[in-house]
Amino acid sequence: MSQENWNRWGAGDERGALNHIGADEIKHAAGLVRDGIVVSLAQPLSPRTPVPAHRAGVQHFMGRDGGDYAAGGRRPGGFQFAEDTMVLPLHIGTHIDALCHAWYDDQLYNGFPGTGTRSTTGAARCGIGTMGPIAGRGVLLDVAALKPVPDGGSITRADLEAAARAAGTVPGKGDIVLIRTGWFERQSGTVSFDAEPGLDVEAGLWLAGRGVAAVGADNFAIEAIPFPAGTVFPVHQRLIRDFGIPLIEGLVLKPLAETGRSSFLFTAAPLPVTGGTGSPITPMAIL
Amino acid sequence: MSQENWNRWGAGDERGALNHIGADEIKHAAGLVRDGIVVSLAQPLSPRTPVPAHRAGVQHFMGRDGGDYAAGGRRPGGFQFAEDTMVLPLHIGTHIDALCHAWYDDQLYNGFPGTGTRSTTGAARCGIGTMGPIAGRGVLLDVAALKPVPDGGSITRADLEAAARAAGTVPGKGDIVLIRTGWFERQSGTVSFDAEPGLDVEAGLWLAGRGVAAVGADNFAIEAIPFPAGTVFPVHQRLIRDFGIPLIEGLVLKPLAETGRSSFLFTAAPLPVTGGTGSPITPMAIL
Amino acid sequence: MSQENWNRWGAGDERGALNHIGADEIKHAAGLVRDGIVVSLAQPLSPRTPVPAHRAGVQHFMGRDGGDYAAGGRRPGGFQFAEDTMVLPLHIGTHIDALCHAWYDDQLYNGFPGTGTRSTTGAARCGIGTMGPIAGRGVLLDVAALKPVPDGGSITRADLEAAARAAGTVPGKGDIVLIRTGWFERQSGTVSFDAEPGLDVEAGLWLAGRGVAAVGADNFAIEAIPFPAGTVFPVHQRLIRDFGIPLIEGLVLKPLAETGRSSFLFTAAPLPVTGGTGSPITPMAIL
Amino acid sequence: MSQENWNRWGAGDERGALNHIGADEIKHAAGLVRDGIVVSLAQPLSPRTPVPAHRAGVQHFMGRDGGDYAAGGRRPGGFQFAEDTMVLPLHIGTHIDALCHAWYDDQLYNGFPGTGTRSTTGAARCGIGTMGPIAGRGVLLDVAALKPVPDGGSITRADLEAAARAAGTVPGKGDIVLIRTGWFERQSGTVSFDAEPGLDVEAGLWLAGRGVAAVGADNFAIEAIPFPAGTVFPVHQRLIRDFGIPLIEGLVLKPLAETGRSSFLFTAAPLPVTGGTGSPITPMAIL
């Protein structure tokens, strides 16, 4: 059992590695805005958003719409409106994992008990509602530009270091590191979630050791699938639970890569769902 | 029928006044980051998030949680996780209205037909999925600090001008204007949605005329409730439909007001729900 | 445009052919109970209940369960309980179509306007909430026992007549006719909804003309899929809209067939969803 | 700890007191059909169906409706249809409790462990999917006709015996006993769930001892609310967990009482939700 970052920011801390982002990091990141361009890093969210076969996807229901007026609906004071409701799995499309999302040995990040997450209340600790909005330096490590990584292939520490050299910057304290594996871009039609390229544990630990605040990728799991024999989500176990590093999954990184910018102001703002285990988000790179 | 901003950004435009935010505005806004502090402007999102009595609120369901492991659930490879699903009305808590949310005379912003919004497809035009993330200069107009506005009371152009003087800045092209009415802060227990202070039409038009990109407030409707006799959501009708100005409702503005900062980098990133009429958001002020 | 049964039971009638079931029919049906055996005709209802690929299935969420107590949940007065919520499409598994479910030429059964069914209100007329519980004589026409019907194959009037002869009874006034096509029984693994055996229009009209109260089958659509060229759900159009005959889909008929009983007391009780277009049901045969 | 009916029908039994209904009971019940009349005992099911203040109610969403066609929706082959989805708590309106719904000392009816009911799977044992449809003799005990029972008041064994005398029949083996308290009928506007008349424990035990198959009432909890000091749902604990008796709540009994019939063929058919803890139902009395 490892727990590298436990108690690092106090026994009651629920934000983990996001604490690496201080005022200096935010000011530095804001200084990276030179072009005045915003790039969205999010997939569209709809019933067509891909999900693994055994999971339910989004449902989207209109409670009132233009058809109701066409059918004779009243419009008091001339006012017409439309509204809607979603059935929304919180880990779908482009989303962030709360620190309560993954654990082992019955303990969450910082030693909070896994039994604090219940049907009746959601997560008592490390829920997405305690994460707060994120702003800091984003660093794009464009692994796919350097070497094609096949489905199931591992992205190693050496791969990340090579990508960092190509980016001209090294991920460090408080950075939000975005890893382009190329996986999402090559999906079409029915998406298979059975095999994807992603980090191996050593690569994840290298990022963690450098003090990054969060790790994102353009795949579904950050880490390689299938897992190494005998392990299940080993990168999740280490990064989320031991280091308190939130993972950002399902990113759309090609448009960002095409700008040629490797570091930028990055923001992501999870919905503050009390006791939630994650949130769909629309991260943005401000160039 | 008015349609001040129709065709201003092209016949196919679906982003409306957000087009006022160009590269210069974004760069200027990033330059306002001096303290390196992030302030969330969002309410917690849970089954307790207040909604009007006739509406359904949030539901939050755990699909897997710590209780399952306590009850004997298997943990292959040691891995434990929790996940969840929400039933989420898109206009709840702190949220933004898409330009398809409100209209009159059967035409949305830019002349798109209201009948394009249907149960089967959501909004064909001006859905929240076309809005994209927002970054620009936020301006806090702290009306509540100048004068208490009672429930049902109007906030006038003069009130906004006075607040702008106090803020030391005038809302202009591409600004996201946040109006603190004080309403949200004085709620406790059961929230009444029957009466709230808010903008009158003239105040809304003054902001629209100055080229602001979006208007937000710490109330439920931006505008005063009850409405003036014979009207229903008149500010919605004019700002959203005629000017293409998205409204941001349910903001939490007291913590921001307490910083003393009146202008700042503001970001808000709606979930890109295809055909959706709005989105809960977690806006942030980066100071 | 045909409308055989419109106005037959009054201009305001919303129950259609169910009106064929009078006191005599019910008493006669009760008299068929000779063995004191109840046979359920319903599929299990769960996230695994088959649905066509483009549709969402059932979701089932626990709001409180045994895991919560294992995790330390309080049990005031010793009391422990579990509760749950479903996201439930109303046309799934074994279900009945309300008379508002299908129509053409903008008019429902009995001439009610199709525009009375809206997002805001559901169906103003012929909703499942107006149907009421059903009890009457059930007649099993075991077509599959006489002749294998391939996927996509039509079941004709002659097939029904042959099955009736084999059953030793002729469907008549007020009967609920259950047609075993054999389709459901031969499904395994992923169910294809692209091809199934079912009634042709003439067979449907023969039943309608004999005054049956409802028609059910062990397939998804009652009628054959694919449809005859140039038509879409022609049996639905005629039976539901012109004759006011509710259709019962997704029945499990093999256990009933194995009893050897062809007529019996049949009951089915839709959930009285105000304005709903159908309901999952658990029909039973009481032998 | 009591467990009167455990192992009575085998160690693996999940149907409890419903086993009291045998072929003779069903045949006898069918013989009670004399008038050929069906009376529904169910409340309408809609967003207006009353629920306690802390619970979410029904949501009903149209996925396609007449408004879509009015707005220009295509109708291939002339076919028009409407469909819908509910968010449906399983204990709402008129519903039946599965035997997994309530327990104490970590054991369900027949000794099954409470930990078998989990977020991931629902109830492994005694779920509503194992109950099957119910048909048998219904007996109406019209307590309200004999004596007004105030909210919070107890209905005692003596009350039940008096009502049985008035009914001219004594509840016995396999009967489904329906108790009219008068509570539901006197509700109007906002329903308070804080106080209602209902059975005390002794009355419940009297019914259980007589071998009834199920107990229903026109209130929310069968038993009196508030509970006797120091207890929480004591009748639920004893009847469901120790005797395996399903409870049917939220019945509409006035129309049945007005028929003057005290015994009749009763049917109720829960949706066979795999692992569900209950089901809305539309019970019927066939007279």
Side-chain angles (χ1 to χ4, degrees):
Chain A
M1 193 166 71
S2 300
Q3 34 193 257
E4 282 84 347
N5 278 349
W6 293 17
N7 290 309
R8 182 169 183 165
W9 296 284
D13 177 63
E14 305 180 49
R15 296 192 74 236
L18 292 172
N19 288 295
H20 282 304
I21 308 177
D24 287 346
E25 284 73 22
I26 294 173
K27 286 186 283 185
H28 174 73
L32 296 171
V33 177
R34 298 193 304 258
D35 304 316
I37 293 174
V38 173
V39 179
S40 170
L41 310 178
Q43 300 176 42
L45 202 53
S46 83
R48 295 184 181 172
T49 304
V51 285
H54 63 288
R55 277 195 173 166
V58 163
Q59 295 188 51
H60 181 212
F61 298 110
M62 302 302 296
R64 177 184 295 261
D65 56 61
D68 297 314
Y69 297 106
R74 294 190 324 114
R75 50 189 87 185
F79 184 64
Q80 297 173 280
F81 71 105
E83 64 180 4
D84 39 4
T85 296
M86 295 183 86
V87 178
L88 180 67
L90 295 185
H91 296 268
I92 196 167
T94 306
H95 65 277
I96 189 165
D97 294 347
L99 296 184
C100 65
H101 174 54
W103 71 100
Y104 64 88
D105 283 350
D106 293 324
Q107 286 184 296
L108 310 183
Y109 163 74
N110 223 3
F112 297 117
T115 49
T117 303
R118 302 181 189 167
S119 302
T120 46
T121 52
R125 291 292 196 155
C126 296
I128 195 70
T130 65
M131 183 177 281
I134 301 168
R137 185 173 85 128
V139 173
L140 176 65
L141 297 184
D142 193 348
V143 174
L146 292 182
K147 114 181 188 188
V149 190
D151 288 348
S154 286
I155 292 172
T156 65
R157 171 177 169 173
D159 294 330
L160 296 184
E161 289 177 323
R165 277 193 301 273
T169 187
V170 184
K173 176 173 180 290
D175 285 346
I176 298 96
V177 178
L178 311 181
I179 298 158
R180 181 166 168 248
T181 71
W183 179 78
F184 183 79
E185 301 156 26
R186 58 179 185 251
Q187 304 303 316
S188 64
T190 301
V191 175
S192 166
F193 292 87
D194 296 335
E196 53 179 74
L199 298 187
D200 64 16
V201 171
E202 190 197 9
L205 293 180
W206 179 70
L207 290 171
R210 296 198 59 78
V212 305
V215 175
D218 63 344
N219 58 11
F220 191 69
I222 303 293
E223 57 196 296
I225 289 181
F227 311 119
T231 70
V232 173
F233 285 107
V235 176
H236 274 65
Q237 293 194 29
R238 294 289 279 135
L239 265 55
I240 293 180
R241 190 264 200 186
D242 295 337
F243 287 91
I245 298 177
L247 303 182
I248 304 175
E249 297 161 339
L251 287 164
V252 177
L253 293 177
K254 191 176 183 190
L256 177 60
E258 289 171 347
T259 67
R261 292 284 303 270
S262 294
S263 61
F264 38 82
L265 173 59
F266 171 94
T267 67
L271 298 179
V273 182
T274 305
T277 74
S279 174
I281 50 174
T282 299
M284 61 180 112
I286 312 179
L287 310 181
Chain B
M1 194 165 71
S2 300
Q3 35 194 253
E4 282 83 349
N5 278 351
W6 293 18
N7 290 310
R8 182 168 182 166
W9 297 285
D13 177 64
E14 305 181 50
R15 296 190 74 237
L18 291 172
N19 288 295
H20 282 303
I21 308 178
D24 287 346
E25 284 74 21
I26 293 173
K27 286 186 281 186
H28 174 73
L32 297 171
V33 177
R34 297 192 305 258
D35 303 316
I37 293 173
V38 173
V39 179
S40 171
L41 310 179
Q43 302 176 42
L45 202 53
S46 84
R48 294 186 180 171
T49 304
V51 285
H54 64 287
R55 279 196 172 167
V58 163
Q59 295 188 50
H60 181 212
F61 298 109
M62 302 304 295
R64 179 184 293 263
D65 56 62
D68 297 314
Y69 297 106
R74 295 190 325 114
R75 51 190 87 184
F79 184 63
Q80 298 174 278
F81 71 106
E83 64 180 4
D84 39 3
T85 297
M86 295 182 85
V87 178
L88 180 66
L90 295 185
H91 296 265
I92 196 168
T94 306
H95 65 277
I96 189 166
D97 294 346
L99 296 184
C100 67
H101 174 52
W103 70 98
Y104 64 87
D105 281 351
D106 292 322
Q107 287 183 297
L108 311 183
Y109 163 73
N110 222 6
F112 297 117
T115 49
T117 304
R118 301 181 191 168
S119 302
T120 47
T121 53
R125 291 291 196 157
C126 297
I128 195 70
T130 65
M131 183 178 282
I134 301 168
R137 185 174 85 129
V139 173
L140 176 66
L141 297 185
D142 193 348
V143 174
L146 291 183
K147 113 182 189 188
V149 190
D151 288 349
S154 286
I155 292 173
T156 65
R157 171 178 170 171
D159 294 331
L160 296 184
E161 288 177 323
R165 276 192 302 273
T169 188
V170 184
K173 177 174 179 290
D175 285 346
I176 298 95
V177 178
L178 311 181
I179 298 157
R180 181 168 168 246
T181 71
W183 179 77
F184 183 78
E185 300 156 26
R186 60 181 183 248
Q187 304 304 316
S188 65
T190 302
V191 175
S192 167
F193 291 87
D194 296 336
E196 53 179 75
L199 298 187
D200 65 16
V201 171
E202 190 197 9
L205 293 180
W206 179 71
L207 291 171
R210 295 199 60 77
V212 304
V215 176
D218 64 342
N219 59 12
F220 191 71
I222 304 293
E223 56 197 297
I225 290 182
F227 310 119
T231 69
V232 173
F233 284 109
V235 175
H236 274 65
Q237 294 195 27
R238 295 288 281 134
L239 265 55
I240 291 181
R241 190 265 197 186
D242 295 337
F243 286 91
I245 298 176
L247 304 181
I248 303 174
E249 296 161 340
L251 288 163
V252 176
L253 293 178
K254 191 177 183 191
L256 176 61
E258 289 172 348
T259 68
R261 292 284 300 271
S262 294
S263 61
F264 39 82
L265 174 58
F266 171 94
T267 68
L271 298 178
V273 182
T274 306
T277 74
S279 174
I281 50 175
T282 299
M284 61 179 113
I286 311 178
L287 310 182
Chain C
M1 194 166 73
S2 300
Q3 34 194 258
E4 282 84 347
N5 278 350
W6 293 17
N7 290 310
R8 182 169 182 165
W9 297 284
D13 177 62
E14 305 179 50
R15 297 192 75 236
L18 292 172
N19 288 294
H20 282 304
I21 308 177
D24 287 345
E25 284 74 21
I26 294 173
K27 287 185 282 185
H28 174 72
L32 297 171
V33 177
R34 297 192 304 259
D35 303 316
I37 293 174
V38 173
V39 179
S40 170
L41 309 179
Q43 300 175 43
L45 202 53
S46 84
R48 294 184 180 172
T49 304
V51 285
H54 64 287
R55 278 195 173 166
V58 162
Q59 295 188 51
H60 182 212
F61 299 109
M62 302 304 295
R64 178 184 294 262
D65 56 63
D68 296 315
Y69 297 105
R74 296 192 321 116
R75 51 189 86 186
F79 184 64
Q80 298 174 280
F81 70 105
E83 64 180 2
D84 39 4
T85 296
M86 295 182 86
V87 178
L88 180 67
L90 296 184
H91 295 266
I92 196 167
T94 306
H95 65 277
I96 189 165
D97 295 345
L99 296 184
C100 66
H101 174 52
W103 70 99
Y104 63 87
D105 283 351
D106 293 322
Q107 286 183 295
L108 310 182
Y109 163 74
N110 222 4
F112 297 118
T115 49
T117 303
R118 302 181 190 168
S119 301
T120 47
T121 53
R125 291 293 196 154
C126 296
I128 195 69
T130 65
M131 183 177 281
I134 301 168
R137 185 173 85 129
V139 173
L140 176 66
L141 297 184
D142 193 348
V143 174
L146 292 182
K147 117 183 186 185
V149 190
D151 288 349
S154 285
I155 293 172
T156 64
R157 171 176 169 174
D159 293 332
L160 296 184
E161 289 177 323
R165 276 192 301 274
T169 188
V170 184
K173 176 173 181 289
D175 284 346
I176 298 96
V177 178
L178 311 181
I179 298 158
R180 182 167 168 247
T181 71
W183 179 78
F184 182 79
E185 300 156 26
R186 59 180 183 249
Q187 304 304 316
S188 65
T190 301
V191 175
S192 167
F193 292 87
D194 295 336
E196 54 179 75
L199 298 188
D200 65 16
V201 171
E202 190 197 8
L205 293 180
W206 179 71
L207 291 171
R210 296 198 60 78
V212 305
V215 176
D218 64 343
N219 59 10
F220 191 70
I222 303 294
E223 57 196 295
I225 289 180
F227 309 119
T231 69
V232 173
F233 283 107
V235 175
H236 274 66
Q237 294 195 26
R238 296 288 280 134
L239 264 56
I240 292 181
R241 189 264 199 186
D242 296 337
F243 285 91
I245 297 177
L247 303 182
I248 303 174
E249 295 161 341
L251 287 164
V252 176
L253 294 178
K254 190 176 184 192
L256 177 60
E258 290 171 347
T259 67
R261 291 284 301 271
S262 295
S263 61
F264 38 83
L265 173 58
F266 171 94
T267 68
L271 298 178
V273 182
T274 306
T277 74
S279 173
I281 50 174
T282 298
M284 62 180 113
I286 311 179
L287 311 181
Chain D
M1 194 165 71
S2 301
Q3 35 193 257
E4 282 83 348
N5 278 351
W6 294 17
N7 290 310
R8 182 167 182 166
W9 296 284
D13 177 64
E14 305 180 51
R15 298 191 73 237
L18 292 172
N19 288 294
H20 282 303
I21 309 178
D24 287 346
E25 284 74 21
I26 293 173
K27 287 186 281 186
H28 174 73
L32 297 171
V33 177
R34 297 192 305 258
D35 304 316
I37 293 174
V38 173
V39 179
S40 170
L41 311 179
Q43 302 176 41
L45 201 53
S46 83
R48 295 185 179 171
T49 304
V51 285
H54 63 289
R55 279 196 172 166
V58 163
Q59 296 189 49
H60 182 213
F61 298 110
M62 302 303 296
R64 179 185 293 263
D65 56 62
D68 296 314
Y69 296 106
R74 294 190 325 114
R75 52 189 87 185
F79 184 63
Q80 299 174 280
F81 70 105
E83 64 180 4
D84 39 3
T85 296
M86 295 182 86
V87 178
L88 180 66
L90 295 185
H91 296 266
I92 196 168
T94 306
H95 65 278
I96 189 164
D97 294 347
L99 295 184
C100 67
H101 174 53
W103 71 99
Y104 63 87
D105 282 351
D106 293 322
Q107 286 183 296
L108 311 182
Y109 163 74
N110 221 6
F112 297 118
T115 50
T117 303
R118 302 182 189 166
S119 301
T120 46
T121 53
R125 290 293 195 157
C126 296
I128 195 71
T130 65
M131 183 177 281
I134 302 168
R137 185 174 84 129
V139 173
L140 175 66
L141 297 184
D142 193 348
V143 174
L146 291 182
K147 115 182 187 186
V149 190
D151 288 348
S154 286
I155 293 172
T156 65
R157 170 178 170 171
D159 294 331
L160 296 183
E161 289 177 322
R165 277 192 301 273
T169 187
V170 184
K173 178 174 178 290
D175 285 346
I176 298 96
V177 178
L178 311 181
I179 299 157
R180 180 168 169 245
T181 71
W183 180 78
F184 183 79
E185 301 157 25
R186 60 180 184 250
Q187 304 304 315
S188 64
T190 302
V191 175
S192 166
F193 292 87
D194 296 336
E196 53 180 75
L199 297 188
D200 64 17
V201 171
E202 190 197 9
L205 293 180
W206 179 70
L207 291 170
R210 297 198 59 77
V212 305
V215 176
D218 63 342
N219 59 11
F220 191 71
I222 304 294
E223 56 196 297
I225 291 183
F227 310 118
T231 69
V232 172
F233 284 107
V235 175
H236 274 66
Q237 293 195 28
R238 295 288 279 134
L239 265 55
I240 292 181
R241 190 264 198 188
D242 295 337
F243 287 91
I245 298 176
L247 304 182
I248 304 174
E249 296 161 341
L251 287 163
V252 176
L253 293 178
K254 192 176 182 191
L256 176 60
E258 289 171 348
T259 67
R261 292 283 301 270
S262 295
S263 61
F264 39 83
L265 173 57
F266 171 93
T267 69
L271 298 178
V273 182
T274 305
T277 75
S279 172
I281 50 174
T282 299
M284 60 180 114
I286 311 179
L287 311 181

